[in-house]
Amino acid sequence: MSSSLLYPFNLTLTVMAPVHIGSGERLSAAEFQIEKRDGKDYLSVFSLDALLRWVAGQPNSERLASLLTSSLENPKNGGMRGFIRSQKVPPREVESYALPLAEGVSPAEVNEALTFIKTAADRVFVPGSSLKGAFRSALLRGALIQRDELRTKAENMVSQGLLRMENKTYSAAIEAEAFVKPQIKPTRWSNYDLNRLLQIRDSSPFEAQDA
């Protein structure tokens, strides 16, 4: 059932500079390799699932599985990268994705990689939660620009705080002036903030190399 209060909008996100929204995962050098492709350095990330499928398809799969387990349990043996090189596994067959290195970055400098947040199918996306704060800030800036009395109140809050040498931003109080009814107590501001109606969904997923 549709609501007269909630309207959906399709938005196009234009990225003006490199953006990284991390998943919290760090890939060690044993989980990727850097190789030349068309004269450019690419970071190729291995897929353990694809590697296991390759191992299962070999005539000596049991021996290879034992060697792979040993490599994974003992990083000093080289991990996945060491196993792939020692067993001459075709790297492209066990690759999850490959990304070009940024200009000016030497392959010798890359010892680990921080991964972008992804779906279960290894496709990257921009989570709505990462955008909502930017939208809230934009709405507040717009309100401050359009409403002189709100801008004056905000300036007074910040000025008084500086005079009292308080280490506070007063952002919650300023947002409450813009988006919460005056009679609401500070402890209830978050429950009555109009921005609670703002819901931003995740972006459509992309292949890592195309994002």
Side-chain angles (χ1 to χ4, degrees):
M1 185 168 72
S2 62
S3 168
S4 60
L5 290 176
L6 303 177
Y7 295 93
F9 295 90
N10 292 321
L11 304 177
T12 300
L13 182 65
T14 302
V15 178
M16 306 301 293
V19 173
H20 183 268
I21 302 175
S23 66
E25 180 185 8
R26 291 175 179 264
L27 300 179
S28 69
E31 299 171 272
F32 61 81
Q33 69 176 7
I34 297 174
E35 60 181 13
K36 287 283 187 183
R37 297 186 183 181
D38 300 324
K40 189 173 180 62
D41 291 316
Y42 273 76
L43 185 144
S44 170
V45 178
F46 304 128
S47 166
L48 180 58
D49 289 341
L51 182 55
L52 290 173
R53 287 194 295 271
W54 182 87
V55 168
Q58 304 306 306
N60 55 342
S61 59
E62 290 187 7
R63 185 182 70 84
L64 289 174
S66 177
L67 290 173
L68 176 58
T69 300
S70 177
S71 296
L72 295 176
E73 290 178 346
N74 301 286
K76 291 182 180 179
N77 294 340
M80 273 196 291
R81 184 169 67 176
F83 175 86
I84 288 169
R85 289 179 174 176
S86 65
Q87 301 304 316
K88 296 181 171 54
V89 182
R92 300 287 180 92
E93 290 188 18
V94 294
E95 178 182 274
S96 180
Y97 56 89
L99 300 173
L101 257 62
E103 292 186 13
V105 176
S106 168
E109 298 174 354
V110 183
N111 298 315
E112 65 176 10
L114 306 181
T115 63
F116 203 94
I117 191 169
K118 298 184 184 69
T119 66
D122 248 354
R123 302 178 72 193
V124 301
F125 67 97
V126 178
S129 57
S130 294
L131 296 175
K132 189 167 184 177
F135 270 87
R136 288 175 64 101
S137 297
L139 291 173
L140 180 59
R141 283 196 298 272
L144 289 168
I145 290 170
Q146 294 177 9
R147 295 167 53 186
D148 292 338
E149 80 286 356
L150 176 61
R151 187 166 62 254
T152 300
K153 284 184 178 180
E155 291 172 351
N156 288 338
M157 285 184 195
V158 174
S159 298
Q160 292 300 318
L162 290 174
L163 289 174
R164 293 192 294 266
M165 301 183 68
E166 293 177 344
N167 187 20
K168 295 171 62 177
T169 64
Y170 288 93
S171 57
I174 294 170
E175 284 195 23
E177 288 286 344
F179 305 122
V180 182
K181 291 183 177 181
Q183 63 269 31
I184 303 301
K185 295 180 180 180
T187 55
R188 305 285 288 173
W189 279 347
S190 61
N191 294 331
Y192 288 87
D193 190 330
L194 287 175
N195 283 306
R196 286 177 66 89
L197 297 174
L198 177 64
Q199 299 181 23
I200 304 177
R201 297 180 179 175
D202 298 339
S203 75
S204 300
F206 297 87
E207 298 298 337
Q209 60 269 25
D210 298 329

